[in-house]
Amino acid sequence: MNVLHIGNTAAIPKTLRDGLREDGIPSDIMTFYPDVLEQGTDFPHPYPTWVRVNPPLFAALRMYHLLKTATHYDILHFHAFGGITFYADYPLWRALGKRIVLHYHGTELRRFGRELPCAKFAHKRYVSTPDLLNFAPEVTWLPSPMPLQEFSVVGVEPKDPGEPIIIVNAVASEQHGMAHKGLAIVRKAVSNVQASGYPIEFRNLVGTPYSEALTHYQQADIIIGQTHIGWYGKFEAECMAFGKPVITYIDPTVIDLVPSLDSVPVAPIHRDDVASLETQIIALVQDPAMRHDLGYAGRRYVEQWHDATKVMATLKCDYETIMHK
């Protein structure tokens, strides 16, 4: 079999593609948006904004490229709205004998609060974070894969008195960060803590190329993730893999959606709450042992849930199953 990933959300398709290639399974990525994070794609079609805001034109161009390329693949693995809007092309791919995988990454479910009708044409459906099971309870959670050999444990080092504590937050864009990640809350809390006299160097990464962002993650003493969604994303998971302490909002009811999941080793805050975020920042700034312990607990958690070897084994098994349907 061979696999075409459509879309490259948070470099998750890249990790899946590379894992498949390592196992001798041909796999490529097609995208229709500018690769601002430089995550890599095999069939790039980076249409400008004026095309993307014209739905009929954008849909027609995407369909043209898909028909030109996707017909040569057995499995079409769509990420978010990687194909035609509202999955309207799924019946056609079914008719052409293609196996369809739909991989939800967040906004496309939260925007509507439910699955859209054509999504049911997919042979297999995944969510990248378990909070999305609230909108699609019949779907499978596939933890975002992490090639752990590329994420050596860095941990955190003790700082000399007065030496700045480096805090890192990263979002794909200003708009996305404000709308979905609580970026305004993060900036307010950090500003308040800095104003209180704590030595903090805040690195607020917005649309930073992926390879450059990884360097900042490794240099961080504290990571601040999202304050709004209720689960950690790829950014937080990568930082946990490096052994960095993470502050983020975890909705405790989401943990109940995964019976085998007990807890997530992060410094928790209340949803979009500046005060609780300030409290956790100050606690971690003042306590290097807490930073160390939380960072290594995060690494062990990532090894348990996000090891790419384990995730790829699940994915390949599912691929084999749908190929024989």
Side-chain angles (χ1 to χ4, degrees):
M1 62 181 172
N2 53 21
V3 182
L4 179 66
H5 294 272
I6 298 97
N8 198 6
T9 306
I12 292 170
K14 179 182 183 297
T15 303
L16 298 178
R17 177 200 63 187
D18 294 349
L20 291 169
R21 287 178 175 178
E22 289 175 4
D23 289 333
I25 299 172
S27 183
D28 295 303
I29 297 173
M30 175 181 286
T31 58
F32 300 107
Y33 293 85
D35 187 11
V36 294
L37 301 184
E38 299 179 5
Q39 296 172 337
T41 184
D42 303 288
F43 300 104
H45 303 290
Y47 289 108
T49 302
W50 70 268
V51 171
R52 289 183 276 122
V53 297
N54 185 327
L57 175 60
F58 193 27
L61 290 170
R62 281 182 290 175
M63 200 66 209
Y64 166 76
H65 290 294
L66 283 167
L67 285 170
K68 185 178 178 181
T69 304
T71 52
H72 303 293
Y73 293 83
D74 303 309
I75 296 175
L76 307 182
H77 191 140
F78 292 89
H79 295 267
F81 276 134
I84 304 305
T85 305
F86 308 140
Y87 321 113
D89 53 334
Y90 283 14
L92 172 62
W93 300 122
R94 275 268 194 170
L96 292 174
K98 304 302 178 184
R99 298 298 186 264
I100 305 168
V101 176
L102 172 56
H103 205 143
Y104 293 115
H105 291 281
T107 304
E108 70 279 16
L109 270 178
R110 297 186 186 102
R111 181 185 304 171
F112 302 102
R114 59 182 176 83
E115 290 195 271
L116 298 177
C118 283
K120 301 299 178 70
F121 281 93
H123 295 85
K124 184 68 180 181
R125 308 193 304 284
Y126 295 120
V127 292
S128 61
T129 56
D131 60 298
L132 298 175
L133 295 172
N134 285 313
F135 309 110
E138 299 176 357
V139 177
T140 301
W141 175 38
L142 185 73
S144 300
M146 303 276 301
L148 294 180
Q149 71 277 8
E150 298 178 12
F151 291 85
S152 299
V153 179
V154 177
V156 289
E157 298 293 333
K159 291 295 185 84
D160 295 329
E163 186 178 0
I165 300 296
I166 299 173
I167 297 180
V168 172
N169 169 261
V171 294
S173 68
E174 183 81 12
Q175 179 182 7
H176 186 71
M178 287 294 185
H180 303 289
K181 301 293 186 177
L183 182 54
I185 302 296
V186 172
R187 288 173 173 168
K188 178 65 174 175
V190 172
S191 177
N192 289 347
V193 174
Q194 288 175 319
S196 298
Y198 291 93
I200 290 173
E201 177 186 335
F202 183 44
R203 300 182 186 178
N204 188 195
L205 310 181
V206 179
T208 304
Y210 185 60
S211 59
E212 180 183 340
L214 287 176
T215 299
H216 289 287
Y217 301 170
Q218 295 176 72
Q219 295 172 349
D221 298 299
I222 299 171
I223 300 296
I224 301 179
Q226 56 77 36
T227 71
H228 183 77
I229 294 172
W231 200 256
Y232 61 90
K234 184 79 179 302
F235 160 59
E236 293 97 322
E238 288 177 340
C239 293
M240 284 193 279
F242 282 130
K244 302 296 183 176
V246 172
I247 304 172
T248 196
Y249 166 56
I250 298 292
D251 183 345
T253 66
V254 174
I255 294 177
D256 297 334
L257 299 175
V258 184
S260 55
L261 185 61
D262 296 323
S263 62
V264 181
V266 298
I269 61 173
H270 300 301
R271 187 173 191 259
D272 289 337
D273 183 63
V274 173
S276 64
L277 179 52
E278 289 177 15
T279 297
Q280 292 291 22
I281 293 172
I282 292 171
L284 284 168
V285 167
Q286 293 179 329
D287 192 340
M290 181 181 177
R291 296 199 299 269
H292 175 277
D293 293 347
L294 189 59
Y296 277 86
R299 171 67 187 201
R300 291 191 296 270
Y301 173 88
V302 168
E303 290 174 351
Q304 178 183 0
W305 286 98
H306 293 278
D307 184 347
T309 303
K310 299 176 183 178
V311 176
M312 292 306 302
T314 298
L315 182 72
K316 287 184 292 182
C317 182
D318 290 342
Y319 279 172
E320 292 286 353
T321 298
I322 67 173
M323 281 295 295
H324 292 94
K325 281 187 177 181

